[in-house]
């Protein structure tokens, strides 16, 4: 791909080739098709496709993430870093397994198992957009409140009683891992690194100027 002027990311048998136009993408696809045919391989018929990320709603899935163009009402647009629906459903299924309607363990044990799972998941998906982490946190706390209602023989849905009795702070105090907080910390570290990097570059430039003075 580099010999043909393209940039490619690859992990195992999954790869993305970056192209400047649809025509470039078609040429790159032809190169890949020739290479795979010569190597005795076959491209996946439905997963292999050309995507124009300049167009609203167009997306590509890569390594569990979904990159999708979103256009705002004011006409501005950007590519969002989402999570592939199957990957999102997989973590929800895991949470459902750990939080059955009838609590199988003490709340502290359940939260410990959840935290172990969520910490690992966040380590990979923490750079997805913020609302995904917020929504997942809410989903997890709803599952836990449902368990607590069942354990306390309470019918506390639809009237806010469960949220009032067991607020978000209650689960935070018990050590429940927050995906939203981890995402926020991740962004803050990136911003700090960017600011520190600019400061170092500025300091280096000033040092060079001083050395050039007679």
């Amino acid at each position: 791909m580099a010999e043909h002027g393209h940039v490619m990311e690859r992990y195992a048998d999954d790869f993305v080739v970056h192209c400047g136009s649809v025509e470039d993408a078609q040429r790159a696809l032809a190169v890949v098709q020739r290479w795979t045919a010569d190597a005795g391989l076959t491209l996946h018929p439905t997963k292999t496709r050309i995507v124009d990320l300049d167009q609203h709603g167009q997306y590509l899935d890569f390594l569990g993430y979904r990159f999708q163009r979103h256009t705002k009402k004011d006409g501005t647009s950007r590519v969002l870093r989402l999570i592939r629906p199957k990957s999102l459903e997989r973590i929800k299924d895991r949470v459902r397994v750990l939080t059955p309607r009838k609590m199988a363990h003490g709340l502290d044990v359940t939260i410990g198992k959840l935290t172990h799972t969520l910490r690992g998941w966040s380590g990979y998906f923490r750079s997805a957009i913020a609302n995904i982490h917020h929504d997942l946190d809410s989903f997890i706390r709803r599952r836990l409140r449902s368990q607590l209602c069942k354990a306390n023989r309470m019918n506390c849905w639809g009237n806010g009683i469960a949220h009032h009795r067991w607020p978000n702070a209650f689960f935070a105090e018990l050590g429940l891992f927050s995906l939203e907080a981890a995402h926020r910390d991740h962004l803050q570290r990136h911003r700090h690194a960017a600011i520190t990097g600019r400061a170092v570059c500025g300091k280096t430039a000033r040092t060079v100027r001083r050395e050039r003075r007679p």
Side-chain angles (χ1 to χ4, degrees), residues 112-142:
K113 291 183 177 182
L114 279 170
T115 293
H116 178 76
T117 297
L118 298 174
R119 193 182 300 277
W121 189 88
S122 173
Y124 186 81
F125 286 110
R126 62 189 175 188
S127 60
I129 62 173
N131 68 303
I132 291 177
H133 305 281
H134 171 82
D135 292 347
L136 276 174
D137 275 348
S138 298
F139 168 74
I140 293 162
R141 288 190 292 261
R142 284 197 302 272

Side-chain angles (χ1 to χ4, degrees), residues 15-51:
F15 61 91
V16 173
V17 180
H18 299 266
C19 304
S21 66
V22 173
E23 292 74 20
D24 282 345
Q26 291 170 340
R27 286 190 288 270
L29 178 57
V31 172
V32 173
Q33 288 171 332
R34 287 195 298 270
W35 186 91
T36 51
D38 292 342
L41 302 172
T42 303
L43 291 174
H44 196 288
T46 58
K47 293 183 179 179
T48 304
R49 61 194 185 98
I50 294 175
V51 177

Side-chain angles (χ1 to χ4, degrees), residues 150-192:
K150 179 70 173 179
N152 288 273
R153 298 180 180 180
M154 296 173 57
N155 182 16
C156 48
W157 290 108
N159 49 18
I161 294 177
H163 192 283
H164 178 74
R165 179 164 180 177
W166 301 291
N168 296 351
F170 169 80
F171 300 107
E173 290 174 0
L174 291 177
L176 178 64
F177 185 84
S178 170
L179 296 169
E180 187 175 18
H183 170 73
R184 187 167 52 247
D185 291 344
H186 173 68
L187 293 182
Q188 290 175 348
R189 286 196 297 272
H190 267 272
R191 294 190 187 104
H192 177 73

